[in-house]
Amino acid sequence: MATLNMVQAVNLALREEMERDDRVLILGEDVGQDGGVFRVTEGLLDRFGKGRVVDTPLAESAIVGTAIGLSLYGLRPVVEIQFLGFIYAAFDQIFAHAARYRNRSRGRYTCPLVIRAPYGSGIKAPELHEESSEAFFCHMPGIKVVVPSGPHAAKGLLLSAIRDPDPVLFLEPTRLYRLIREEVPEGEYTIPIGKARVARQGDDVTVIAWGSMLERVMKALEPFNAEIIDLLTLSPFDSETVLGSVEKTGRVLIVHEAPRTCGFGAELAATIAEEAMLSLRAPVLRVAGPDVPVPLARLVDYYLPDAARITAAVEELLRY
Amino acid sequence: MATLNMVQAVNLALREEMERDDRVLILGEDVGQDGGVFRVTEGLLDRFGKGRVVDTPLAESAIVGTAIGLSLYGLRPVVEIQFLGFIYAAFDQIFAHAARYRNRSRGRYTCPLVIRAPYGSGIKAPELHEESSEAFFCHMPGIKVVVPSGPHAAKGLLLSAIRDPDPVLFLEPTRLYRLIREEVPEGEYTIPIGKARVARQGDDVTVIAWGSMLERVMKALEPFNAEIIDLLTLSPFDSETVLGSVEKTGRVLIVHEAPRTCGFGAELAATIAEEAMLSLRAPVLRVAGPDVPVPLARLVDYYLPDAARITAAVEELLRY
Amino acid sequence: MPTTILETFSVSRLDILNPEGDCDEELLPPLSKEEIVRLYELLVLSRAFDERALSLQREGRIGTYPSIRGQEAAQVGSAYALQPADWIFPSFRETGVHLTMGYPLASLFQYWAGDERGLVCPEGLNILPVSVSVGTHLLHAVGAAMGARYRNESIVMAAYFGDGATSKGDFHEAFNFAGVYRLPVVFICQNNQWAISVPRGRQTAAQTLAQKALAYGFDGIQVDGNDVFAVYRATRDAVDRARGGGGPTFIECFTYRMSHHTTSDDADRYRSREEVEEWKSKDPILRLERFMEKRGLAGEAARREIGQRTRTAIDEAVRAAERMPPPERRDLYRSVYAECTPRLAQAMEGGGNGDA
Amino acid sequence: MPTTILETFSVSRLDILNPEGDCDEELLPPLSKEEIVRLYELLVLSRAFDERALSLQREGRIGTYPSIRGQEAAQVGSAYALQPADWIFPSFRETGVHLTMGYPLASLFQYWAGDERGLVCPEGLNILPVSVSVGTHLLHAVGAAMGARYRNESIVMAAYFGDGATSKGDFHEAFNFAGVYRLPVVFICQNNQWAISVPRGRQTAAQTLAQKALAYGFDGIQVDGNDVFAVYRATRDAVDRARGGGGPTFIECFTYRMSHHTTSDDADRYRSREEVEEWKSKDPILRLERFMEKRGLAGEAARREIGQRTRTAIDEAVRAAERMPPPERRDLYRSVYAECTPRLAQAMEGGGNGDA
Ligand SMILES: Cc1ncc(C[n+]2csc(CCOP(=O)(O)OP(=O)(O)O)c2C)c(N)n1
Ligand SMILES: Cc1ncc(C[n+]2csc(CCOP(=O)(O)OP(=O)(O)O)c2C)c(N)n1
Ligand SMILES: [Mg+2]
Ligand SMILES: [Mg+2]
């Protein structure tokens, strides 16, 4: 079995799925000849040709809107938004259309499409290249949101996303792209959308994270007896796994890099406060990015949740 | 003192502020000759002329983007997005630009602009005319979000919004436009952004609402000893008032018409679970729209939170 | 400044049938008598449907409704040039297109009464749900066209929109993509001179809308949108070109919105009655009637019969629509995803802490 | 199809100084010798800055950097036609514009090293922060132009962008608004033939970018973007027109991105070396040098002195930038709003349950 990083794992998933299903097409800026700015689509143009790996003009709304049309027509487009920070121009297409065609037509027309986007901070890139705005898309009925935390999850989840009958936003944490290598099987395996993974079992505190924060949390909390949940799907999220763990530990920390206010941590905390209140022995804490735009390189270390903040929060929880 | 409905109150605020400050301009679709589709800008074109009340082409991104340029130049544009459901095309301009110019330029350039948008359900209008997507904008550092619940608040808050040095989204609940009349003083009064209003004092339970839900909550809960908080500003919200009340009552219900998942209620619940956990005697409940696109007229009564659901939730809380 | 001229362009206009019912024989498309009478019947049906919808709205039996009065030829003429297998991406003011393609009348009434089920397009037709968000659906036509091309299916996409839509960014992006990939799309703009209260001249400083195609490397043409022959001919040519691999075309149908924007609007606030009067004389149905009279097609008796048939169909459709059982509470949740999320399933069962 | 021609249009191109350094005397704009030498110095400074930035990036002293090599004339020539009071809305590849307007060199290095404070434009100039999001800032120029018009201030807005930006919806909406309101904006596109790996021919099917202005009812012109005189002249004319109330102009500077897209890119993956070689012979600086030689302007000694001055200025700027104290943690919070929200204030003080 090959040891791959996340770029390679996503590339493998795309290649295999395109071989298996000729309805799968790729569209995006620089995804063809260039193989994508992170090289995620490298080699696919050569293998599948221009009809299936389509370099587009520079227009995010059009990339998503065209994918909607392709999917209405019965194809399964996988589009790349070069960085999540450029998806906002496609917000209308995603929310007013991709999310609603099924409902609007009572199932007659559907949008089985995937939007892949590199996201997250910590790569010292220019403005808008390090956004973590996943929460917006979790407030969109009709859309699913998936965030792998490593190469193995990336491949299995991407296959599920492409096969999903509904639109899926698939967020790839850029900081992890080449940071982690894992064994990634060739061929068929899927990881179901909507299921979280208990990344480490533990008893004293439940820590919930996703994407690049998972790696931070795992490292930072080695000395603790913490149950660490890798959420994997944010929408619809796996409340069963979350609530089960909270009932066991009675203490919860949520870690995300997006700004705190109205980040996805808010929904997790609210769900816990609504459905597991009686199990709680301590406040539900969030370690999150502050309510500021992601800063440029020289301030970014103050922005991203780090081991010190994560440990401090867990220690605080354990004092209850 | 005149008794006005919300349309008239907003109109009065605009007129007075345009008289007071010649930096204030209005832009939007049909805001001029037609006076706006809800007549909120009626009479302003005649009074202030085409240079200050500008009918625009049909392009929401341009309306907001142009307002950004006007505000960078030192003016104080107040733009109307005809319905909140059409703001998504301007999402990029709002989030990538209006919200960030101050931060990006370390204060050298700023965007003191107001985006007014009719919003909310219950007017039997076509698709996308009844959205309640306020939560998106509360996850945008750099933006403020204000929601009046009646004519008096509308005028006072709009004056504050126009004078605010930062971009403000000002959401006008369409269901209330002509439903409620209140005494609205002519001339100068402002209601500060960032402060909630205790709409009714009470002891047993804290109920938080805003916009058109406030009216529903007030009516539904007459028989209860509930403290009802009219949030007024969602971002930055008045956590002091909220937490103070929760400490007193120990029970919280949040009511909003937006879909439950990642609605603004999530942030309120999360904040309470984080900062007032020890005062809580019951789970933090949300009565919200379900996770579906706002339906058309024939299903809408099933969508919007109503008196039955609000009362049932309060009764549930009181059982703890 | 003396400089090199790199390119020259022109934009033209097609007129065939004038308001008096006279036509340019050379330009007249090859339509049989039956087809011409059929076109007439579709125009009449469109107008009658519209009138009924307006009166149902006044009676509170349907919701807000956008009249198509004056635009019947633009809609019928263009849709008539399409094949049943072609896909249509309408905005919200294309009732005449629906009717021409054979969309069930009852479904249309049902939809305007606020019931999503009216948008379920019958099998065998592909008319996408109306796009309320102006201009945003053009991209879907482009994507579907890319799909047809990829699958080697000779299906053409027709995207309908108004003059106001030409200002939207998505209009631009859709035209640009269609040009770059030379896709089989026909962009059909009903320039009815108004976008609610904003007149065409303040929507863009371009002399015509048709010339906007020049920015994307394909052809645009203006046609008399009240002339069903001109609209039909221009569309048929564009459809043929698209089907033959010749890429997209932009057709500006120069027409007029005779009524208010919708039943919620009051057009007297912003436009003159004289302007409306002037356009009355250009009525698309009247001129076809005159043409038929001159040619001895569909005399009074035939026309009466058409009127009768139309009314019967509409009456039946209204009855059918109003007989349909209302949607159920569970319909609120059912179609958001292929399978309900746990939270939706819980809400559907009435659970979820006060969820509906 | 025989139809009426409604309008004809053309799009032209301006060339003044050719690669050999010969120029069309009639078209040569009225520039003094000093001004010509100044233009030359600005070109040299731009290139030298660029080279230094590239080497600083290689040494890890600044972050990702987009080279302007090859585009110096398009930037210097256009900016030179502006007044200091005019406002500039740059994209991220306009270093030559900044330098021409007198933006502090040290600030530029500071910005590219990842410090927002480098974007604080000094008083007396109005160069807006670079827009990383392609094409979205054109609307801000339009809005500011509306502001200038409203205030009766004769200030012109210059908006800079690339060929890729012409595909964005905001490009369209900005051009349309500028046309409708006839605003004092000059839209300056550096068509450097590439948007990362996408060549101009696949960005749009239009023969030229300049012709896109036709869709909005104003003029577009293509100029040789490697010809500082042509760029200057076209911009000056456009600026004069804008200032005189004549509305917007679109200038397509036909140039070439000689380097990779940015320091993170590898252009060899997608374009041929021959293409790059071919453009080398069209170098904008070389041809001005040849021109000056022929005219006896700025001989070798003068040029050496210019080189020297330039290097000194750059050295000093790098030193100054690197001497600046790093931003503080509190800078993260300070500028989000005029006044910190309670939550931001708490975070700034290190509170807030584990906030930074
Ligand atoms: C994106 C968007 N913005 C605003 C509206 C509100 N609105 C509905 S129709 C309309 C005018 C449309 O004009 P046009 O495109 O000419 O079509 P017409 O109504 O004339 O058929 C407006 C502004 C909308 N539906 N969508
Ligand atoms: C909206 C947006 N999408 C994608 C990107 C990523 N990106 C940065 S530059 C670029 C190409 C820009 O091409 P062009 O407009 O020709 O400018 P150039 O880089 O050639 O100066 C892309 C795709 C971006 N910055 N903004
Ligand atoms: Mg119109
Ligand atoms: Mg370029």
Side-chain angles (χ1 to χ4, degrees), chain B residues 29-30 58 60 82 86, chain C residues 92-93 132-134 162-165 168 192 194-196 261:
Chain B
E29 294 158 12
D30 309 293
L58 204 167
E60 285 73 14
Q82 202 159 75
F86 305 127
Chain C
F92 50 84
R93 198 192 298 283
V132 168
S133 186
V134 167
D163 43 306
K168 283 283 284 184
N192 64 5
W194 292 92
I196 308 187
H261 170 66

Side-chain angles (χ1 to χ4, degrees), chain A residues 29-30 58 60 82-83 86 129, chain B residues 92, chain D residues 71 91-93 132-134 136 161-166 168 190 192 194-196 203 257 261:
Chain A
E29 294 158 13
D30 308 293
L58 204 167
E60 284 74 14
Q82 202 158 74
F83 289 87
F86 305 128
H129 287 65
Chain B
D92 194 32
Chain D
Q71 304 178 213
S91 85
F92 49 83
R93 198 192 297 284
V132 169
S133 186
V134 167
T136 55
F161 53 100
D163 43 308
T166 65
K168 284 284 283 187
Q190 294 177 69
N192 63 5
W194 291 91
I196 308 188
Q203 197 64 243
R257 192 195 81 206
H261 170 67

Side-chain angles (χ1 to χ4, degrees), chain C residues 71 93 161-165 189-196 198 203 257 261:
Chain C
Q71 304 178 214
R93 198 192 298 283
F161 53 99
D163 43 306
C189 177
Q190 294 177 69
N191 171 7
N192 64 5
Q193 314 302 331
W194 292 92
I196 308 187
V198 178
Q203 197 64 245
R257 193 195 82 208
H261 170 66

Side-chain angles (χ1 to χ4, degrees), chain A residues 30 58 60 261 296 302 309, chain D residues 116 168 197 203 343 354 356:
Chain A
D30 308 293
L58 204 167
E60 284 74 14
T261 301
L296 297 185
Y302 297 124
R309 289 168 57 201
Chain D
E116 284 87 351
K168 284 284 283 187
S197 72
Q203 197 64 243
R343 198 165 265 190

Side-chain angles (χ1 to χ4, degrees), chain A residues 175-227:
Chain A
R175 202 172 63 80
L176 303 187
Y177 259 155
R178 294 165 200 279
L179 187 72
I180 305 176
R181 302 183 77 88
E182 285 174 351
E183 307 231 304
V184 177
E186 292 210 11
E188 190 73 16
Y189 74 95
T190 57
I191 296 178
I193 291 179
K195 292 276 166 259
R197 179 176 75 94
V198 176
R200 185 184 297 155
Q201 303 230 338
D203 303 297
D204 294 347
V205 55
T206 298
V207 182
I208 311 169
W210 54 91
S212 104
M213 284 300 109
L214 187 81
E215 179 260 356
R216 288 245 158 129
V217 163
M218 293 289 279
K219 271 210 193 117
L221 297 184
E222 264 167 25
F224 295 86
N225 183 4
E227 179 137 305

Side-chain angles (χ1 to χ4, degrees), chain A residues 43-112:
Chain A
L44 300 180
L45 175 70
D46 282 351
R47 200 169 186 116
F48 299 104
K50 273 193 186 174
R52 290 184 72 188
V53 182
V54 184
D55 271 323
T56 66
L58 204 167
E60 284 74 14
S61 187
I63 292 170
V64 174
T66 301
I68 290 172
L70 283 159
S71 66
L72 292 171
Y73 199 78
L75 300 173
R76 302 212 155 226
V78 179
V79 305
E80 176 175 303
I81 295 294
Q82 202 158 74
F83 289 87
L84 187 60
F86 305 128
I87 206 171
Y88 309 129
F91 204 84
D92 193 32
Q93 287 295 331
I94 297 171
F95 188 43
H97 287 303
R100 303 188 201 214
Y101 257 111
R102 176 187 293 279
N103 190 64
R104 183 182 289 158
S105 70
R106 291 299 184 242
R108 172 76 161 86
Y109 295 100
T110 63
C111 295

Side-chain angles (χ1 to χ4, degrees), chain D residues 261-310:
Chain D
H261 170 67
T262 65
T263 49
S264 313
D265 177 51
D266 174 9
D268 293 339
R269 293 174 66 89
Y270 51 78
R271 70 183 188 185
S272 73
R273 291 189 179 240
E274 294 78 63
E275 182 181 299
V276 181
E277 278 311 311
E278 204 192 305
W279 276 91
K280 257 192 196 151
S281 62
K282 301 182 189 160
D283 187 82
I285 302 186
L286 200 59
R287 71 171 78 173
L288 187 59
E289 240 165 58
R290 287 178 177 149
F291 171 87
M292 292 195 309
E293 220 141 74
K294 289 178 195 189
R295 304 260 165 148
L297 290 172
E300 228 194 291
R303 295 215 297 274
R304 214 175 13 247
E305 201 215 300
I306 286 173
Q308 193 55 54
R309 207 159 53 224
T310 299

